[in-house]
Amino acid sequence: MSVEYDLVVIGGSVEGIYAAIAATYLNARVALVEQGVSPYADVLYRRAIARIGDGLHQCDNIFPFATQAEFSRLDLAQAISWAKEICATFSAAESRIRLATLGVDAIAGKGEFIRLPHLAFQVQQRQLRSRAYLLAMGSSPVAPSIQGLTPPDYLTPNDLWQQEKLKTLPQNLLIVGGSPLALELSQSLNRLGKSVTLIVEDERLLSAEDPQAIRWIQATLEAEGICLFTQSPIAQVQKIDGKTWVQAGDRAIETDCIICAQGQQPDLEGLNLEGVGIRVEGKRLHLNEKLQTTNPRIYGCGSIAGGYSSPQIARYEAQIALHNALFSPWVKKCDYRHIPWTLLTEPNFARVGMTERQAQQRYGKDIFVAQHYFKEIPQAWILGQTTGFCKFVFRNNGEMLGAHIVGTQAAELIGTVTLAMKHRLKANALAELFFPSPSISEILQQTAQEWQLYALKRNKIRRHLRTQWLRWRRN
């Protein structure tokens, strides 16, 4: 079969651009159809604005002795301009000129798959024929289904980060959703001086995550002044005397603006997926462990399969799909055990591997949970960031099964733990790895040393022999 490309990537998301560039490094002929928008600019923009809020919060709390100090407040317009500069810098790194320099045939426009006379992706009167295709369009906010709520009456996170919308945002905000994005957004806006109410339909936040870690995050949000209601599905929204009222559970809440952050859904419209044998149920694309769709020549990665996908998970999936599409689809399979996940509130929450409950279900009593608190780390006191803990889940032989960190710089610390787990290093290796002192990273060593102490107490024979040896030497 004569083809024009080795791989056609459909979607301008961060994982799509990553896959296209990586394919050129493997000497593949690649086309990138820039369909949809990249959510990465929104991620950078949110993090830059959140950084402003973090700075203001630290100014108020880091120096407890400076009760009369007056800290300068950045104007929101200045903060927005600074955030836009950061986004522009990194958008330039992914520009069409750079892609063309690397050998990627970048094509703007929307297209669809065609089956006859040959499988191809048709865009701008062109039929792109390739050995394999990769769907990486990213996702868009889920439209809420709430009685009385229509599109002009609410904002989505994508709307919010437009410069004019953020400048004119009213004081009292109601955020709907228990997604990671909703939690991060609530804290950022609260720290920028807004009055925030967060409505969550589920019994608790992020029910799949470690309960202890999520309780810490929830307590922090509430302590900062965010009004958080769980088990509160929204029944309806009404306008009464020019004011917006929301019925959430058995409460009636007045607000100036509703922000819907209930999650993301993949952008699958208009691709003619069913016409080329790809099974789609609702808004979910079915992928196997090799990231193939039901058409074996078409792959998917990132949020295209439905649900929330962080940038690092999306890039990992793009790497797996790329290898399978270009070389051997029977070799590479997805294994998420060594891929970290982060919640970028402050304090951060980061985890990798199994939760304590998952480890108990699989190994029973053959586990040990080591835990250490940031308040026992000198550098945390210096930074004024003593909230949080580090938890490692080990087997009794020292094999590391999982790690959960709630605290300052947790998103940075989890990388060291991930590397240790990927290379199957045991607890002793981490306990005997000396970090700079004072530094936040000392918490990793001190948590691993909890296992060493446990192992010593558990091995009664070794402890007895050591006691006898020292007694003999003293005499």
Side-chain angles (χ1 to χ4, degrees):
M1 177 184 68
S2 176
V3 295
E4 186 178 2
Y5 299 101
D6 297 303
L7 180 69
V8 170
V9 181
I10 302 155
S13 64
V14 59
E15 58 269 26
I17 294 172
Y18 170 84
I21 293 175
T24 63
Y25 295 157
L26 299 173
N27 298 322
R29 296 190 64 183
V30 187
L32 173 65
V33 181
E34 296 175 330
Q35 182 165 319
V37 294
S38 171
Y40 194 49
D42 288 337
V43 172
L44 292 176
Y45 198 59
R46 289 199 306 268
R47 292 313 308 151
I49 295 295
R51 181 68 187 99
I52 300 295
D54 294 346
L56 297 177
H57 182 74
Q58 289 177 19
C59 286
D60 290 334
N61 296 282
I62 196 170
F63 299 117
F65 52 82
T67 55
Q68 303 300 320
E70 293 185 0
F71 299 99
S72 62
R73 298 269 171 171
L74 281 175
D75 180 74
L76 185 56
Q78 292 177 310
I80 292 171
S81 297
W82 175 72
K84 286 176 72 69
E85 288 178 10
I86 294 174
C87 293
T89 299
F90 285 91
S91 294
E94 299 174 353
S95 67
R96 196 172 299 174
I97 295 175
R98 178 171 182 262
L99 293 172
T101 302
L102 293 171
V104 178
D105 187 2
I107 305 165
K110 297 191 68 173
E112 65 176 3
F113 284 103
I114 59 174
R115 185 169 59 89
L116 298 174
H118 304 283
L119 177 64
F121 192 79
Q122 183 168 299
V123 58
Q124 290 188 352
Q125 309 290 314
R126 289 182 59 185
Q127 292 186 6
L128 307 179
R129 295 185 58 194
S130 175
R131 289 180 54 243
Y133 301 84
L134 175 61
L135 296 170
M137 284 85 63
S139 57
S140 55
V142 174
S145 178
I146 300 173
Q147 181 182 345
L149 189 64
T150 55
D153 299 329
Y154 69 90
L155 297 176
T156 67
N158 288 7
D159 298 326
L160 187 63
W161 300 121
Q162 296 174 19
Q163 188 170 359
E164 295 306 316
K165 290 282 179 67
L166 192 56
K167 282 182 181 178
T168 58
L169 207 59
Q171 179 62 26
N172 295 314
L173 307 175
L174 186 142
I175 298 177
V176 182
S179 65
L181 175 56
L183 304 186
E184 296 170 8
L185 189 60
S186 299
Q187 187 179 55
S188 296
L189 294 175
N190 178 70
R191 290 186 169 187
L192 288 172
K194 304 298 182 182
S195 177
V196 177
T197 300
L198 178 61
I199 302 296
V200 180
E201 184 174 346
D202 297 332
E203 183 178 354
R204 69 179 182 90
L205 301 177
L206 303 178
S207 56
E209 303 299 333
D210 181 77
Q212 181 186 6
I214 297 304
R215 283 196 297 268
W216 278 73
I217 297 297
Q218 180 172 342
T220 299
L221 297 179
E222 292 177 327
E224 291 185 10
I226 296 171
C227 190
L228 196 157
F229 297 111
T230 56
Q231 289 184 290
S232 301
I234 295 181
Q236 62 177 331
V237 176
Q238 287 187 343
K239 294 277 189 179
I240 303 176
D241 296 331
K243 297 181 179 179
T244 302
W245 288 86
V246 176
Q247 182 183 343
D250 57 357
R251 302 176 182 86
I253 304 170
E254 181 186 353
T255 185
D256 296 330
C257 179
I258 298 174
I259 301 172
C260 291
Q262 296 169 296
Q264 302 286 110
Q265 63 184 14
D267 298 323
L268 301 175
E269 298 295 329
L271 294 173
N272 188 30
L273 298 179
E274 292 84 354
V276 290
I278 296 178
R279 185 159 57 99
V280 180
E281 291 184 2
K283 290 293 184 180
R284 186 174 182 274
L285 185 66
H286 285 268
L287 302 174
N288 63 19
E289 58 189 0
K290 303 166 190 174
L291 298 179
Q292 288 173 309
T293 65
T294 46
N295 184 322
R297 289 175 57 191
I298 301 176
Y299 295 76
C301 66
S303 54
I304 202 71
Y308 177 79
S309 179
S310 61
Q312 63 269 23
I313 293 176
R315 284 195 293 266
Y316 168 73
E317 291 178 343
Q319 188 179 56
I320 296 294
L322 178 64
H323 183 278
N324 290 337
L326 294 179
F327 302 110
S328 50
W330 54 86
V331 174
K332 289 276 188 177
K333 298 179 182 179
C334 280
D335 182 357
Y336 297 99
R337 290 178 299 172
H338 302 143
I339 306 299
W341 182 87
T342 55
L343 176 65
L344 296 177
T345 52
E346 186 56 50
N348 298 166
F349 168 43
R351 56 95 170 144
V352 64
M354 296 183 182
T355 64
E356 183 178 346
R357 179 178 298 176
Q358 289 170 338
Q360 287 174 343
Q361 290 174 345
R362 181 165 181 177
Y363 296 103
K365 295 183 178 180
D366 184 23
I367 67 166
F368 173 74
V369 178
Q371 189 162 301
H372 207 73
Y373 294 91
F374 277 83
K375 65 182 180 181
E376 300 175 60
I377 304 298
Q379 183 68 10
W381 284 95
I382 295 171
L383 296 175
Q385 302 284 345
T386 57
T387 300
F389 66 95
C390 176
K391 177 197 286 188
F392 291 158
V393 182
F394 296 110
R395 292 186 67 182
N396 287 330
N397 64 1
E399 178 187 349
M400 184 176 290
L401 302 176
H404 298 76
I405 307 174
V406 175
T408 183
Q409 301 177 28
E412 305 291 338
L413 296 174
I414 201 68
T416 301
V417 184
T418 301
L419 185 64
M421 288 183 60
K422 187 171 183 179
H423 291 278
R424 299 186 178 182
L425 300 181
K426 293 194 174 182
N428 271 330
L430 200 54
E432 294 170 2
L433 180 62
F434 286 87
F435 295 90
S437 182
S439 72
I440 292 295
S441 55
E442 286 182 288
I443 196 169
L444 301 180
Q445 181 194 31
Q446 294 183 21
T447 307
Q449 286 174 343
E450 296 287 333
W451 177 87
Q452 282 189 322
L453 181 61
Y454 162 77
L456 180 62
K457 291 180 178 179
R458 188 166 174 267
N459 194 327
K460 296 181 180 180
I461 295 176
R462 179 179 294 181
R463 188 173 54 175
H464 175 73
L465 291 175
R466 286 179 175 176
T467 301
Q468 293 299 321
W469 169 256
L470 293 174
R471 183 179 298 168
W472 178 81
R473 292 199 66 181
R474 282 195 297 269
N475 293 328

